[in-house]
Amino acid sequence: MTKDQKVVAIQEIKDLLQDAKVVYVADLEGLNAGKASDFRRQAFKQNIKVKVVKNTLLQKAMEQIDGVDFSEMFGTFKGNSALMIAETANAPAKLIKDFRKKDEKPALKSAFVQETFYVGDNNLDALVSIKSREEMIGEIIGLLQSPIQRVVSALQNKSETADAPAEEAAPAVEETPATETPEAAAEGEAPAAE
């Protein structure tokens, strides 16, 4: 690779990384052409960009990115590396995990997700369990709606229960024989005691 080609390759990687919030580096080594093609196809369907990169070029590109220090990931840049960029935090992790049901590869080398670094394949399950932005928004909306729904439900139930005793109480009053109430009895006894 010539120096000019390296400069172009580094710039391409920088362009991918520039505004990326979700960056994974995976090991695809050992996947045959058919499986690698299938992996890329599934990634494309899930809106995940996959680019096989040279480790030294990836490191140089990451060093040139402003605002993020990717140096924690550099130790994992050995062997074959594939850069994965996504919008959804857990999408690449789910793709890797689903793909590994059939094969032992790809393996997670490292990831930068939600301003946190994850180094090593042992973090794959933690990354899979990260909720996406859409899932978190849905949960928050559900939590906010839940008290409102309870209040509305309670008000509806209260108006129904308030109507019901009033209807039941009216016939009961009409059927009650005219007897002295305890208050009337108390009033009647008071003058006798004087």
Side-chain angles (χ1 to χ4, degrees):
M1 189 175 241
T2 67
K3 187 174 183 177
D4 290 339
Q5 289 173 328
K6 288 179 183 179
V7 169
V8 170
I10 290 171
Q11 188 58 47
E12 286 176 5
I13 296 169
K14 276 178 57 179
D15 290 344
L16 283 173
L17 293 171
Q18 195 59 51
D19 296 320
K21 303 288 183 223
V22 178
V23 179
Y24 282 66
V25 179
D27 178 7
L28 300 181
E29 193 172 355
L31 292 180
N32 64 29
K35 289 180 182 178
S37 178
D38 186 36
F39 182 78
R40 286 174 181 268
R41 192 175 309 109
Q42 288 181 29
F44 180 77
K45 286 178 185 175
Q46 297 178 31
N47 202 24
I48 302 169
K49 296 175 186 169
V50 177
K51 181 170 182 68
V52 176
V53 294
K54 289 192 173 207
N55 294 318
T56 54
L57 300 180
L58 176 59
Q59 183 171 334
K60 286 181 182 180
M62 286 182 161
E63 288 170 347
Q64 295 175 19
I65 298 294
D66 294 329
V68 181
D69 180 14
F70 288 103
S71 61
E72 286 187 49
M73 299 172 77
F74 295 165
T76 64
F77 296 172
K78 294 176 179 75
N80 188 338
S81 293
L83 181 64
M84 300 174 73
I85 308 290
E87 293 293 321
T88 307
N90 61 1
K94 286 181 176 180
L95 175 62
I96 291 170
K97 190 163 184 153
D98 287 344
F99 209 79
R100 284 195 2 203
K101 289 177 182 174
K102 303 174 221 161
D103 209 331
E104 64 182 48
K105 295 283 181 168
L108 175 68
K109 289 184 174 187
S110 55
F112 174 71
V113 178
Q114 297 175 345
E115 299 180 10
T116 305
F117 289 97
Y118 298 86
V119 177
D121 194 58
N122 56 329
N123 288 303
L124 189 62
D125 289 331
L127 288 164
V128 167
S129 65
I130 289 176
K131 296 195 184 302
S132 70
R133 182 173 181 262
E134 292 77 20
E135 290 169 330
M136 290 191 330
I137 289 171
E139 284 185 9
I140 290 169
I141 289 172
L143 290 172
L144 291 174
Q145 284 180 339
S146 151
I148 294 168
Q149 289 172 340
R150 282 193 224 127
V151 168
V152 169
S153 176
L155 290 173
Q156 287 174 342
N157 288 339
K158 184 171 177 110
S159 67
E160 289 172 9
T161 56
D163 293 343
E167 292 169 3
E168 293 171 5
V173 172
E174 293 172 10
E175 294 173 11
T176 311
T179 59
E180 286 187 35
T181 61
E183 295 163 346
E187 288 175 10
E189 292 172 11
E194 289 180 24

